[in-house]
Amino acid sequence: MRTPRKGYVCFLVGLFVAFLVLATYWTFAPLRRTCEAESQSKSNRSHIPRGSTISYIIHQKWDDYNIPTVFIQWVKSWRRHHPKWQYWFWTNDSGRRLVAKRYPQYLDMYDNYPSNIHRSDALRYFVMHEFGGVYADLDIESLKPIDPITARHHCLLSLETEAHGILLYSTPNGQVSNALLACRPKHPFYKFVIENLHRTAKTDVFSSTGPFMLQKRYDQYSAMGCYGRDFVQLAKPDDFMPSFDDQPVAIERLKLACQKITIEKDRKRICKRLRQQNYQNIFPPPTSYTDHKWVHTYTNQFRQKYGKSAEKLVDIRNLQINITDVKLQM
C-alpha cells in the first residue's frame, strides 16, 4: 500500500515534469510560429536569381573603404568568379545606418558593444536577415563560382575545418563559423539570432557575437524542427574552409592536441594527416568553393606575417570591381 509520503513525492515529481514540458513549449512555440510567419512574409526578392532563394549579392565589410592591400587578391577573386552577382561593401558608417533605419530597437545594444569587432559580427546577421546573399570576411578567397551550392539551399552555414572542430573545440559535429554565411532574405534563423543577441552582449567576442554564439543559436534553432524554406543546412568543412589556422599559436595548440593519448578514430585520423603535412596547409581540394586564410587582423601576428601589405591601404572603390552603393538599398 502506498504511503501518503510516497504519494506526495510522486505528486511533486509529476508536477515538476509537467512544468518542464510547459516551459519547453512556452520557450520554443514562439520560434515555431516565427518559422511559419517568416515563410509566409514577402521579402525583397529583386536580387534573388531564378531557381534559387539565396540572393545574388556578395557582402563584405571593413571599417571604411581603405582596406589593407593584402586583401586585394581575395576581394578580386569574388568578382572574378561571380561577374553577374552584385557586390555590396559595408563600412562602420553604412552598417550603423542599416541598424538605425531597419532595426532601430537594437541600435542602443549595437552602439554599446565594447568594440568594432562585436559590431562587425553583429552587422552580418542584420545584413543576412534584411537582404540575404553571401557574406564573406575579407580573408576568404573564392576558388570557383558558389552558385551550384547556393542554388540547392535556402540557408547555409559554413563549418570550420575538422582540425579546429575536433581538435581545438572538441565539437565532433563541427564548429560553425560566422566568416562565411549564405541565406535567403528574411530567414527565421537570423531573426532568431538577432532577437537573442542581447543575451550574450556582455561576454567575450567569440561568445557574444562570434562563432561560439552562432553555434549555440544553430543548435537551439535546429532542435525546433524548422524545415523546407526555413531549414538551415550545414556545409561540409571542405566546401568553404578546408584550411586550418596556420598562425604559430594555433599550430602549437594543434600539436598539443595531437600529443594527447586518445582512442577516438577521428582525432587519430586528423592528427595523422597533420603530421604527414608537417602541420602545413596544402592546396584546397577541387571540391572547395572558398578557402579561409585566417588572417586575424585584430592581432600583432597580422602585421608580422604580412608586413607592408598589412599596413599599406587602398581605397576599394578604386579597384574597378563595380561596387553597389549600399546607401541606395536602405
Side-chain angles (χ1 to χ4, degrees):
M1 181 175 179
R2 180 178 297 179
T3 64
R5 182 180 179 83
K6 288 184 178 179
Y8 180 68
V9 171
C10 291
F11 171 76
L12 289 178
V13 171
L15 189 63
F16 179 70
V17 171
F19 172 78
L20 288 179
V21 171
L22 288 173
T24 301
Y25 175 80
W26 289 331
T27 300
F28 297 127
L31 179 56
R32 289 194 180 93
R33 291 195 294 271
T34 295
C35 291
E36 297 169 358
E38 287 288 298
S39 291
Q40 297 168 2
S41 68
K42 294 182 179 179
S43 57
N44 179 8
R45 306 182 66 84
S46 60
H47 306 290
I48 298 177
R50 182 178 298 177
S52 173
T53 56
I54 294 180
S55 310
Y56 264 2
I57 311 172
I58 297 163
H59 301 275
Q60 295 196 294
K61 194 264 178 189
W62 191 247
D63 289 349
D64 52 36
Y65 289 109
N66 298 305
I67 67 171
T69 56
V70 66
F71 294 130
I72 294 177
Q73 57 183 324
W74 302 324
V75 168
K76 287 185 174 180
S77 72
W78 283 97
R79 298 307 285 137
R80 183 170 63 253
H81 291 130
H82 305 85
K84 295 182 180 180
W85 289 51
Q86 293 188 23
Y87 182 85
W88 295 18
F89 190 80
W90 297 86
T91 65
N92 291 347
D93 178 63
S94 59
R96 187 183 186 280
R97 187 178 293 111
L98 170 66
V99 177
K101 187 171 182 179
R102 301 289 181 90
Y103 302 89
Q105 67 272 36
Y106 298 105
L107 186 60
D108 285 344
M109 177 192 70
Y110 188 82
D111 285 341
N112 287 315
Y113 275 128
S115 73
N116 278 334
I117 299 176
H118 289 79
R119 281 182 283 274
S120 179
D121 278 345
L123 176 62
R124 66 195 66 186
Y125 310 133
F126 290 109
V127 169
M128 281 290 98
H129 183 257
E130 187 65 25
F131 302 107
V134 173
Y135 169 86
D137 278 348
L138 290 178
D139 61 348
I140 291 185
E141 179 183 13
S142 172
L143 302 176
K144 62 182 182 180
I146 202 172
D147 309 52
I149 192 169
T150 58
R152 299 198 307 267
H153 302 286
H154 297 279
C155 199
L156 277 165
L157 284 178
S158 55
L159 286 178
E160 295 187 18
T161 179
E162 282 187 314
H164 290 184
I166 293 177
L167 297 182
L168 299 185
Y169 305 127
S170 298
T171 52
N173 295 325
Q175 172 60 51
V176 167
S177 172
N178 70 338
L180 188 142
L181 310 168
C183 203
R184 69 169 174 85
K186 305 299 182 182
H187 196 284
F189 173 66
Y190 284 106
K191 179 180 181 181
F192 180 60
V193 170
I194 291 169
E195 289 177 343
N196 284 277
L197 283 173
H198 70 281
R199 298 182 183 277
T200 54
K202 296 183 179 180
T203 56
D204 66 274
V205 68
F206 287 96
S207 302
S208 61
T209 54
F212 296 164
M213 179 281 297
L214 196 61
Q215 176 77 61
K216 184 175 182 179
R217 297 296 170 244
Y218 168 75
D219 291 340
Q220 293 171 335
Y221 181 86
S222 61
M224 295 305 99
C226 290
Y227 300 105
R229 281 170 46 82
D230 298 334
F231 184 71
V232 177
Q233 176 68 43
L234 288 182
K236 299 176 182 178
D238 278 355
D239 284 341
F240 298 123
M241 300 191 179
S243 297
F244 54 85
D245 188 348
D246 60 0
Q247 301 288 340
V249 173
I251 294 297
E252 286 303 311
R253 290 180 62 197
L254 289 172
K255 288 181 177 179
L256 286 174
C258 286
Q259 289 174 4
K260 296 179 180 179
I261 299 175
T262 181
I263 60 173
E264 297 178 27
K265 292 182 179 180
D266 284 338
R267 294 178 70 92
K268 287 183 175 181
R269 172 178 55 83
I270 295 169
C271 288
K272 180 179 179 180
R273 187 179 72 231
L274 288 174
R275 294 189 186 102
Q276 290 174 342
Q277 297 174 198
N278 196 26
Y279 291 91
Q280 295 179 352
N281 282 305
I282 58 177
F283 194 77
T287 56
S288 298
Y289 295 96
T290 67
D291 192 26
H292 195 183
K293 303 301 182 179
W294 304 101
V295 166
H296 300 305
T297 57
Y298 51 88
T299 68
N300 292 329
Q301 294 174 357
F302 173 51
R303 290 168 179 80
Q304 293 172 1
K305 181 175 181 178
Y306 294 100
K308 291 183 179 180
S309 63
E311 298 176 357
K312 187 178 180 180
L313 304 178
V314 62
D315 191 325
I316 194 172
R317 293 170 294 186
N318 295 332
L319 297 182
Q320 297 181 340
I321 57 174
N322 192 21
I323 298 176
T324 298
D325 188 350
V326 296
K327 296 178 182 177
L328 300 178
Q329 310 301 322
M330 290 185 281

